[in-house]
């Protein structure tokens, strides 16, 4: 896997940032602003990634937003591609976007979010990595042709650490199809190495 590249930017609306350290993982900045609603804290973490993967699922940014009210929280995860793509082209096995979720801070991911298209609709399945069963079907949107956004509660998709990866393989699509009789799959990973650490407001209260 490639060495990590450091470019990181934060949402422009937020004023200051602090790096989140930990375990040699690639990290992004995080800001917490007190909101007008009593007890509401909004945190946003964004990491950019170079244009480095052929095919339509080259990830250029991932953003994680937390609306934390203490006892409850809503999370929105957004992944942005280099160029527009058709969500109907996504496929459960061959062309999809996945977020790996570390819920307990120990090595490995306990859950994942897999985004794909099935039966005429875009889907985001929350899957247990232990059983491979679908735990929940999450709310997902395809924004402005380039961005996929998933929303859920902290108990559903709350994490301590996260990384994203995309996969694209299609017959007849030369960069990500077949070369000299061998299948070629285009893949991208963010961060390139390690995990992106999220603020405490994103951590599940009772992880799996």
């Amino acid at each position: 896997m490639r060495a990590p590249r450091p470019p990181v930017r934060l949402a422009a609306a937020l004023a200051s940032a602090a790096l989140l350290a930990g375990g040699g993982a690639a990290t992004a900045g995080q800001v917490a602003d007190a909101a007008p609603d009593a007890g509401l804290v909004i945190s946003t973490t964004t990491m950019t990634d170079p244009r480095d993967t052929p095919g339509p699922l080259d990830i250029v940014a991932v953003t994680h937003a937390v609306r934390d009210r203490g006892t409850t929280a809503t999370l929105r995860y957004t992944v942005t591609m280099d160029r527009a793509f058709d969500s109907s082209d996504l496929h459960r096995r061959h062309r999809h976007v996945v977020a790996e979720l570390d819920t307990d801070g120990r090595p490995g991911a306990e859950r994942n979010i897999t985004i794909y298209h099935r039966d005429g609709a875009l889907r985001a399945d929350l899957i247990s990595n232990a059983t491979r069963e679908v735990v929940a079907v999450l709310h997902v949107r395809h924004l402005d042709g380039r961005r996929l956004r998933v929303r859920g509660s902290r108990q559903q998709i709350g994490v301590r650490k996260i990384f994203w990866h995309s996969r694209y393989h299609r017959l007849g699509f030369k960069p990500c199809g077949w070369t000299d009789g061998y299948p070629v799959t285009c893949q991208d990973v963010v961060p390139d190495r390690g995990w992106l650490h999220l603020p405490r407001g994103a951590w599940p209260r009772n992880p799996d």
Side-chain angles (χ1 to χ4, degrees), residues 164-187:
W164 291 82
H165 56 96
S166 65
R167 173 186 176 91
Y168 194 91
H169 174 75
R170 174 178 281 284
L171 296 177
F173 187 81
K174 188 173 182 179
C176 312
W178 289 75
T179 299
D180 297 328
Y182 294 94
V184 178
T185 298
C186 296
Q187 301 182 76

Side-chain angles (χ1 to χ4, degrees), residues 66-80:
V66 185
R67 296 176 62 87
D68 181 13
R69 291 180 173 84
T71 57
T72 63
T74 301
L75 287 77
R76 296 194 314 180
Y77 297 159
T78 306
V79 55
T80 304

Side-chain angles (χ1 to χ4, degrees), residues 46 48 61 75 81 87 89 108 137 143 149 164 175:
T46 298
T48 60
L75 287 77
M81 306 303 171
S87 58
D89 190 36
V137 177
L143 308 174
R149 175 171 292 166
W164 291 82

Side-chain angles (χ1 to χ4, degrees), residues 16-54:
S16 61
L19 286 178
L20 301 176
T27 58
Q30 177 266 331
V31 179
D33 282 355
D37 298 352
L40 175 62
V41 176
I42 300 175
S43 303
T44 302
T45 304
T46 298
M47 171 171 273
T48 60
D49 188 69
R51 294 172 171 85
D52 56 1
T53 303

Side-chain angles (χ1 to χ4, degrees), residues 155-207:
Q155 204 53 41
Q156 287 178 315
I157 62 173
V159 291
R160 292 178 177 240
K161 297 179 294 183
I162 188 171
F163 76 86
W164 291 82
H165 56 96
S166 65
R167 173 186 176 91
Y168 194 91
H169 174 75
R170 174 178 281 284
L171 296 177
F173 187 81
K174 188 173 182 179
C176 312
W178 289 75
T179 299
D180 297 328
Y182 294 94
V184 178
T185 298
C186 296
Q187 301 182 76
D188 200 8
V189 179
V190 181
D192 285 324
R193 181 178 298 169
W195 300 74
L196 183 60
H197 291 231
L198 266 61
R200 186 174 293 273
W203 296 6
R205 295 302 172 89
N206 297 298

Side-chain angles (χ1 to χ4, degrees), residues 76-152:
R76 296 194 314 180
Y77 297 159
T78 306
V79 55
T80 304
M81 306 303 171
D82 180 40
R83 62 179 188 265
F85 64 96
D86 192 338
S87 58
S88 65
D89 190 36
L90 299 181
H91 184 276
R92 177 65 181 84
R93 180 178 178 185
H94 299 294
R95 299 176 295 280
H96 54 248
V97 179
V98 176
E100 296 288 348
L101 312 180
D102 175 11
T103 62
D104 60 11
R106 295 190 292 269
E110 288 69 46
R111 292 180 172 183
N112 77 76
I113 301 170
T114 299
I115 305 172
Y116 63 104
H117 193 272
R118 191 178 78 180
D119 299 331
L122 187 64
R123 286 178 59 100
D125 288 349
L126 179 63
I127 299 172
S128 166
N129 284 350
T131 66
R132 309 309 300 171
E133 294 181 353
V134 176
V135 177
V137 177
L138 304 170
H139 182 274
V140 60
R141 295 180 61 192
H142 189 183
L143 308 174
D144 63 34
R146 298 176 58 217
R147 295 181 296 158
L148 296 169
R149 175 171 292 166
V150 178
R151 186 178 74 234

